[in-house]
Amino acid sequence: MSSSISAAATTTLVLEGSEQGFATTRFEDVLNWARKYSLFQYPFVTACCAMEFMALASPRFDMARFGAEAPRFSPRQSDLLWVVGTISQRQAPVLKTVYDQMADPKYVLAFGTCASSGGFYDNYTTLAGIDKIVPVDVYVPGCPPRPESVIDGLLMLQDKIARGDRTAGVVKPRFDPVQLRRKA
Amino acid sequence: MSTKVLARLEQAFGASILETHDQFGDDTAVVDPSRWLEIARFLRDDEACSMDHFIDLTAVDYLGRAEPRFEVVLHVRSIEKLHRVRLKARIDVSASDDAADDANAETALARIDSLVSVWPGANWFERECFDMFGVAFSGHPDLRRILMYGEFVGHPLRKDYDASKTQPLVEYRAAANEKLPPFDQHEGMSFGRQTHAQRPAARNLLGFETPGLGED
């Protein structure tokens, strides 16, 4: 095999067939690679979405495959805040405190429609989306979302971490009705 | 079903029972609010009534449809005699609470006697009723809000409370939520991971090809 250099990612160079066999990359990339596969999660679980969260954590869907295995019930030890369910105005200060206690870098995933936007609760008592008080990295819509779409959200978050992208992203439905109609 | 309870009430209290009716086996008596506690105690202690089971206490706001505005509704039952009765009392926001200025209308309370001394189970029901409707129960041992937070102003189930008016405890972030549909084309992960589509034919550190998962 002849010695060649191929660009795997924009920043990673792999030298193949060389005598030494080494790779160059940037420190940030290695760090992000480590971060994305070791997300310690803090489950802030308040409502019916918890059922899907349990399914997600159990062997059938097996969140542990993606390195997001260990739930930490101390915000100080966790990287990823799962907000699973409706947040009322009365709970909002608690959520804010939990978020503030997490150490950087920290990520937030809004699990389900209620956490993302308040859902069908448009009233005096419900917080209309947790992004009103904490920044959200990934929104997973659904009432509740299927575990597959939450896994999509987790993978999207991992990609965002790898790319150093902190803009918010939304998980699309698996079968986008609009796209299906366009194809037909 | 148990119209005899209504008859017993009318016999004992006469003009204080303002009206009664019986529908689908549910007996209802509308009573004079000033004798609310007295009638409740009678219902519990009287041998023929023996209402030993407190079921429910709530209120209804008939703003603009009836005077007085609030109707406090009590449901009690007798486990021994197997009958039940519904008691209503119509009350209004008390004029004494310097409600002359409209600024106080939101917090002005309607008053009625507490039934905690008769049925201890009424305690949290009366707190909820106070929280949601602003009905103050005189003689209640611990009349605080039970669902809403202490900083909340007003009573949300009153018909003149704006249903979408929130009173946040945490200041909202300045950044608006831009993530409302329709989403951009590049967003989402319908058919695979984004980064693979962005770097086709990538090689990983071990040197073998990674198939492009996001091609379609």
Side-chain angles (χ1 to χ4, degrees):
Chain A
M1 192 189 278
S2 64
S3 175
S4 68
I5 298 173
S6 68
T10 47
T11 55
T12 308
L13 299 177
V14 182
L15 292 168
E16 285 176 282
S18 67
E19 302 268 317
Q20 292 83 9
F22 63 91
T24 65
T25 182
R26 289 193 311 193
F27 176 67
E28 273 299 310
D29 287 353
V30 175
L31 201 59
N32 286 341
W33 174 82
R35 273 175 188 158
K36 79 175 195 178
Y37 288 124
S38 62
L39 288 167
F40 281 21
Q41 34 170 320
Y42 182 93
F44 195 95
V45 182
T46 58
C48 35
C49 279
M51 297 300 136
E52 300 300 316
F53 185 76
M54 290 173 207
L56 187 68
S58 60
R60 189 179 185 95
F61 294 97
D62 195 12
M63 196 158 46
R65 287 177 292 168
F66 308 104
E69 182 170 23
R72 295 285 144 176
F73 295 102
S74 163
R76 297 179 198 282
Q77 297 175 347
S78 48
D79 314 297
L80 172 59
L81 176 63
W82 294 79
V83 183
V84 183
T86 323
I87 301 296
S88 64
Q89 295 286 358
R90 200 174 169 171
Q91 273 174 321
V94 181
L95 178 65
K96 177 82 174 134
T97 308
V98 165
Y99 178 79
D100 288 343
Q101 285 178 344
M102 288 169 68
D104 277 323
K106 51 191 173 184
Y107 308 95
V108 180
L109 189 143
F111 188 122
T113 306
C114 286
S116 301
S117 70
F120 49 69
Y121 299 106
D122 179 13
N123 58 24
Y124 58 91
T125 189
T126 304
L127 184 66
I130 57 167
D131 50 10
K132 294 246 187 314
I133 54 169
V134 296
V136 175
D137 290 283
V138 172
Y139 297 84
V140 184
C143 187
R146 285 195 59 85
E148 292 95 322
S149 62
V150 184
I151 289 173
D152 278 357
L154 184 62
L155 296 183
M156 180 199 262
L157 179 66
Q158 289 185 338
D159 277 349
K160 281 178 182 299
I161 294 171
R163 284 183 279 123
D165 176 8
R166 292 310 299 266
T167 60
V170 181
V171 173
K172 271 191 194 168
R174 286 268 172 151
F175 297 99
D176 189 344
V178 177
Q179 287 189 354
L180 284 183
R181 211 180 308 134
R182 273 185 201 143
K183 274 181 188 169
Chain B
M1 186 184 174
S2 61
T3 42
K4 59 178 186 246
V5 175
L6 295 182
R8 188 97 180 92
L9 276 177
E10 278 178 328
Q11 181 198 334
F13 292 93
S16 294
I17 309 297
L18 304 178
E19 59 182 85
T20 61
H21 67 258
D22 169 54
Q23 193 170 22
F24 308 123
D26 282 331
D27 302 328
T28 307
V30 182
V31 307
D32 181 357
S34 62
R35 305 192 74 182
W36 180 246
L37 179 60
E38 206 181 325
I39 292 171
R41 186 161 283 134
F42 173 83
L43 280 175
R44 187 192 65 179
D45 294 339
D46 183 58
E47 285 291 322
C49 299
S50 172
M51 297 295 185
D52 47 8
H53 182 194
F54 172 88
I55 298 175
D56 188 24
L57 186 143
T58 185
V60 186
D61 184 1
Y62 288 107
L63 180 68
R65 291 168 60 192
E67 285 288 333
R69 177 179 166 182
F70 294 106
E71 195 170 76
V72 179
V73 187
L74 167 75
H75 289 195
V76 284
R77 178 171 172 268
S78 168
I79 292 172
E80 182 194 337
K81 308 266 191 220
L82 293 176
H83 56 210
R84 62 175 182 231
V85 72
R86 180 192 295 136
L87 230 56
K88 294 178 177 179
R90 291 172 185 151
I91 52 172
D92 215 332
V93 171
S94 44
S96 59
D97 283 318
D98 55 355
D101 49 334
D102 284 345
N104 259 351
E106 201 175 47
T107 51
L109 301 173
R111 291 191 184 280
I112 197 166
D113 282 331
S114 167
L115 302 183
V116 177
S117 59
V118 185
W119 296 287
N123 190 322
W124 283 12
F125 288 81
E126 292 185 348
R127 278 179 66 186
E128 186 194 18
C129 195
F130 162 71
D131 193 356
M132 294 289 129
F133 291 98
V135 176
F137 292 88
S138 314
H140 190 285
D142 182 25
L143 196 64
R144 289 179 290 133
R145 288 186 183 276
I146 191 170
L147 294 172
M148 305 308 293
Y149 31 97
E151 294 87 343
F152 197 86
V153 178
H155 303 280
L157 288 193
R158 284 187 173 185
K159 292 295 179 197
D160 51 2
Y161 187 90
D162 181 5
S164 57
K165 180 186 165 195
T166 55
Q167 301 183 23
L169 288 174
V170 180
E171 199 181 333
Y172 286 172
R173 294 165 63 231
N177 180 11
E178 295 157 358
K179 291 294 158 186
L180 293 171
F183 307 123
D184 291 342
Q185 279 297 316
H186 67 273
E187 282 188 322
M189 302 190 55
S190 298
F191 307 106
R193 303 177 65 178
Q194 266 177 313
T195 39
H196 288 292
Q198 286 166 359
R199 41 172 175 165
R203 282 162 188 270
N204 64 14
L205 291 171
L206 294 172
F208 54 78
E209 296 271 344
T210 308
L213 293 177
E215 309 278 286
D216 52 354

